[in-house]
Amino acid sequence: MKLIILGCYSATPRAFTNPTSQVLDIQNHLFLIDCGEGTQVQLRKHRIKFARIRHIFISHLHGDHFFGLPGLISTLVLLGREAPLHVYGPKGIKEAITLLLKLGNSWTNFPLVFHELSSREPQLVFEDEKVEVHTIPLDHRVYTNGYLFREKPGPRKLDIDAVLRYNIDRCYYRNIKNGRDVLLDTGEWISNEKLTSDPPVPGSYAFCSDTVYKPGIIGQLKGVGVLYHESTFLEEHKDLAVKTKHSTAKQAAEIAAGAGAGKLILGHYSVRYGNLEVFREEARTVFPDTELAEDGKVFDF
Amino acid sequence: MKLIILGCYSATPRAFTNPTSQVLDIQNHLFLIDCGEGTQVQLRKHRIKFARIRHIFISHLHGDHFFGLPGLISTLVLLGREAPLHVYGPKGIKEAITLLLKLGNSWTNFPLVFHELSSREPQLVFEDEKVEVHTIPLDHRVYTNGYLFREKPGPRKLDIDAVLRYNIDRCYYRNIKNGRDVLLDTGEWISNEKLTSDPPVPGSYAFCSDTVYKPGIIGQLKGVGVLYHESTFLEEHKDLAVKTKHSTAKQAAEIAAGAGAGKLILGHYSVRYGNLEVFREEARTVFPDTELAEDGKVFDF
């Protein structure tokens, strides 16, 4: 899994800071998460092939999380895209995009499929053989979802030495990887655990932005590999966080600690703070394995 | 008058090219003309005070001319703007912006006044003591207007030597500047032309983008000081220009020559051409005083 931060600042785009957008490279998918103004330029700067993006997940309909979407879709039209594009986001997103395209007297020559969300409970919104994506209902000034991306467990790892030792035919390998025991010609049963080891732990990534401190999501996030959690403010401005329904760095760390996350990535910084390091310092008092998102930064995990 | 080019490329924003937007600094107004995605960042880069923009003129509702507007307006909300903002543009622009603000559960705390356009004839859309702005109906794939900005003639220039020679009281100066003759105490009439000279020729600027070659606009542009005219293509791709309702550099020059413009500025280039100089060369075969718009360039005239 690879996470590319295209933008991680709150509010409006500036000369050197971009509003929220990121790309999750997972099991051959390039999932685009949020799409603030300027996202298509950031995609170009990072040489990400537009054609590889087939699913876009929008958290909520504040401009700094989706005003780049109409332009990105218009660009896909100009590029002659034919493959379907799936857009997941709050109810209303379809009307907005449709109206903007209609006003420009244009429409997509590719299927543009909207998956409008309105549930307050976690929902499975995408699934294939290797990945599933659930919403994480958040609490912000407008209807907002985070997204939880989970790899499915892969097949068990074949112990080549063992299968050769038992002289097992290749045609059984697939079944063995899927956990089956084997009956030898001698009539002896060989248990699966003698022939395989556990597959790698499936990766998972949770994107939680924007939201007020919401410990209610911890249950859903238990054991998550990497958690991106907004930290618009520091504790010194906790009152502002409550008022605007955002979180502090320490609160983000408390969510990460409660969930037993492998790693915490902070982002969605207010530009009032000069130095991002203060966010990490505050979070590390609660959750040591904290990293800072920065525009253009790539996380491999 | 000063013209600041924030973006002058056609189609979509790229890492180093911006879609259409420009600022005209005229008689203490900062008029924003078109607002492609990324315009607010370009405004910041050029240190243009958002508060000074009170009038925004949108030519048409293709994304590369107005997808930066929702974000700019949202930023003005965050900045706590109180002064009214006037937006001129095709019918539909109000519905689009209103819907986007509504979806974000926000509204402006300043008066946001839409002046929706649908006429196919030139219209006076703005006027104060010093400037007037007319639409220039263009012909593109959607309803489109250019804009003609005209300074009003100032008062006549007082010839101080002459008024002193005739011993004319200061209280008459204002009337004299406004063209009145003066009756001396001796009963002698002094004609205005003995006391004044002509004021500076009022400046004018015409913005014409996007449009197919439309000689019908020449009448309205007669004697214009500076003409910005789109030149998406070169003559070698004239067929594409006709098909997509754009102009070539040579056609832009023909409009400038026909109107007897003082200067032609080209822009809205297709990115298919590596070197902008080819546009100027082509236009100069018809109209020598041709300049190239470039992102970030400032024209003083």
Side-chain angles (χ1 to χ4, degrees):
Chain A
M1 258 197 289
K2 194 164 80 169
L3 179 70
I4 304 149
I5 306 292
L6 303 176
C8 64
Y9 285 82
S10 71
T12 62
R14 291 169 167 249
F16 303 105
T17 66
N18 294 280
T20 302
S21 186
Q22 42 185 254
V23 172
L24 183 67
D25 187 345
I26 179 174
Q27 295 288 357
N28 271 325
H29 290 288
L30 277 196
F31 290 138
L32 183 67
I33 307 168
D34 277 352
C35 190
E37 185 176 348
T39 293
Q40 57 176 317
V41 172
Q42 288 293 90
L43 286 169
R44 284 193 195 276
K45 280 187 181 162
H46 292 86
R47 301 178 177 282
I48 294 164
K49 289 211 170 70
F50 289 27
R52 283 201 58 207
I53 297 170
R54 283 172 288 155
H55 303 271
I56 301 176
F57 299 88
I58 301 293
S59 61
H60 65 298
L61 299 183
H62 279 155
D64 57 330
H65 293 254
F66 103 108
F67 280 175
L69 186 57
L72 176 59
I73 290 173
S74 299
T75 294
L76 296 177
V77 174
L78 288 174
L79 293 176
R81 182 191 180 99
E82 293 181 356
L85 180 71
H86 295 266
V87 177
Y88 306 79
K91 195 165 161 49
I93 196 168
K94 179 177 180 177
E95 183 187 358
I97 299 296
T98 307
L99 174 63
L100 291 173
L101 287 169
K102 197 183 79 178
L103 288 173
N105 200 19
S106 72
W107 189 240
T108 62
N109 14 33
F110 55 87
L112 178 59
V113 186
F114 290 95
H115 304 262
E116 292 200 309
L117 308 171
S118 54
S119 172
R120 302 275 168 185
E121 299 298 323
Q123 272 184 294
L124 176 68
V125 290
F126 174 82
E127 181 175 25
D128 66 7
E129 307 96 68
K130 296 191 167 173
V131 193
E132 54 183 40
V133 185
H134 288 85
T135 58
I136 307 166
L138 300 176
D139 185 3
H140 190 45
R141 302 195 303 278
V142 291
Y143 175 77
T144 304
N145 286 295
Y147 293 96
L148 176 58
F149 303 84
R150 280 195 185 282
E151 290 177 340
K152 293 185 175 178
R156 296 186 60 76
K157 265 180 97 171
L158 204 62
D159 180 341
I160 286 293
D161 290 341
V163 291
L164 290 178
R165 193 161 60 239
Y166 289 107
N167 203 18
I168 295 171
D169 194 276
R170 292 181 65 89
C171 70
Y172 294 106
Y173 287 4
R174 195 191 180 98
N175 279 348
I176 295 170
K177 286 195 219 169
N178 286 333
R180 302 267 287 272
D181 299 334
V182 176
L183 179 62
L184 299 183
D185 294 345
T186 62
E188 185 190 357
W189 277 98
I190 309 297
S191 72
N192 189 274
E193 64 198 16
K194 286 183 177 160
L195 303 172
T196 64
S197 57
D198 288 344
V201 177
S204 57
Y205 172 68
F207 170 86
C208 295
S209 187
D210 296 355
T211 186
V212 76
Y213 176 58
K214 189 184 180 190
I217 62 177
I218 287 174
Q220 194 190 352
L221 299 181
K222 278 288 179 207
V224 71
V226 178
L227 168 65
Y228 175 96
H229 195 289
E230 74 125 290
S231 60
T232 309
F233 297 106
L234 296 177
E235 280 289 299
E236 60 178 302
H237 295 114
K238 200 171 173 178
D239 56 328
L240 271 181
V242 170
K243 190 175 157 200
T244 60
K245 294 212 170 188
H246 284 297
S247 304
T248 69
K250 186 170 171 229
Q251 291 172 332
E254 279 164 3
I255 300 291
K263 183 193 284 295
L264 169 64
I265 300 174
L266 298 176
H268 203 267
Y269 317 111
S270 161
V271 293
R272 75 181 55 220
Y273 308 103
N275 175 1
L276 297 186
E277 202 50 50
V278 291
F279 288 95
R280 175 150 54 185
E281 281 166 19
E282 182 174 294
R284 281 187 171 169
T285 61
V286 173
F287 188 82
D289 199 355
T290 300
E291 302 273 355
L292 296 173
E294 286 178 51
D295 294 4
K297 198 163 173 179
V298 178
F299 294 91
D300 275 294
F301 40 81
Chain B
M1 257 197 291
K2 193 163 79 167
L3 179 70
I4 303 149
I5 306 292
L6 302 177
C8 65
Y9 286 81
S10 70
T12 61
R14 292 170 166 248
F16 303 106
T17 65
N18 294 281
T20 302
S21 186
Q22 43 186 255
V23 172
L24 183 68
D25 187 346
I26 179 175
Q27 296 288 356
N28 270 325
H29 290 289
L30 277 195
F31 290 139
L32 182 67
I33 307 168
D34 277 351
C35 191
E37 186 177 347
T39 293
Q40 57 176 318
V41 173
Q42 288 293 92
L43 286 168
R44 284 194 195 275
K45 280 188 182 162
H46 291 86
R47 300 176 178 282
I48 294 164
K49 288 211 170 70
F50 288 27
R52 283 201 58 208
I53 297 172
R54 282 172 289 154
H55 302 272
I56 301 177
F57 299 88
I58 301 293
S59 62
H60 65 298
L61 299 184
H62 279 156
D64 57 329
H65 294 254
F66 103 108
F67 279 175
L69 186 57
L72 176 58
I73 290 173
S74 298
T75 294
L76 296 177
V77 173
L78 287 175
L79 293 175
R81 182 191 179 99
E82 293 182 358
L85 180 71
H86 296 266
V87 176
Y88 306 79
K91 194 165 160 48
I93 196 167
K94 180 177 178 177
E95 184 188 358
I97 298 295
T98 307
L99 174 63
L100 292 174
L101 288 170
K102 198 183 78 179
L103 287 173
N105 201 18
S106 71
W107 189 242
T108 63
N109 16 30
F110 55 88
L112 178 59
V113 187
F114 290 96
H115 304 262
E116 292 199 310
L117 308 171
S118 54
S119 172
R120 303 275 169 183
E121 300 297 323
Q123 272 185 292
L124 176 69
V125 289
F126 174 81
E127 182 175 25
D128 67 6
E129 307 95 68
K130 296 192 168 172
V131 193
E132 54 184 39
V133 185
H134 287 85
T135 58
I136 308 166
L138 299 175
D139 184 3
H140 189 46
R141 302 195 304 277
V142 290
Y143 175 77
T144 304
N145 286 296
Y147 293 96
L148 176 58
F149 303 84
R150 279 194 184 285
E151 290 177 341
K152 293 184 175 177
R156 298 186 58 77
K157 265 181 95 171
L158 203 63
D159 180 341
I160 286 291
D161 291 342
V163 292
L164 291 177
R165 193 160 60 241
Y166 289 108
N167 204 18
I168 295 171
D169 194 276
R170 292 181 65 90
C171 70
Y172 293 107
Y173 287 4
R174 194 190 179 100
N175 280 347
I176 295 169
K177 286 198 221 168
N178 286 333
R180 302 269 286 273
D181 300 334
V182 174
L183 179 62
L184 299 183
D185 294 344
T186 62
E188 185 191 358
W189 278 98
I190 308 296
S191 72
N192 188 274
E193 64 197 17
K194 287 182 177 162
L195 303 173
T196 63
S197 56
D198 288 344
V201 177
S204 57
Y205 171 68
F207 170 86
C208 294
S209 186
D210 298 351
T211 187
V212 74
Y213 176 58
K214 188 183 180 190
I217 62 176
I218 287 173
Q220 193 189 354
L221 300 180
K222 278 289 179 208
V224 70
V226 177
L227 168 65
Y228 175 95
H229 195 288
E230 74 127 290
S231 59
T232 309
F233 297 105
L234 297 176
E235 280 289 299
E236 59 178 302
H237 294 114
K238 200 170 172 177
D239 54 328
L240 271 180
V242 171
K243 190 176 156 199
T244 59
K245 294 213 169 188
H246 283 298
S247 304
T248 68
K250 186 170 171 228
Q251 290 172 332
E254 279 163 5
I255 300 291
K263 182 193 287 295
L264 169 65
I265 300 175
L266 298 177
H268 203 266
Y269 317 110
S270 161
V271 291
R272 75 180 57 218
Y273 309 103
N275 176 3
L276 297 186
E277 201 51 51
V278 291
F279 288 94
R280 175 148 57 184
E281 281 166 18
E282 181 173 294
R284 280 186 171 170
T285 62
V286 173
F287 188 82
D289 199 354
T290 300
E291 302 272 358
L292 295 174
E294 286 177 51
D295 294 4
K297 199 163 172 180
V298 178
F299 294 92
D300 274 295
F301 40 81

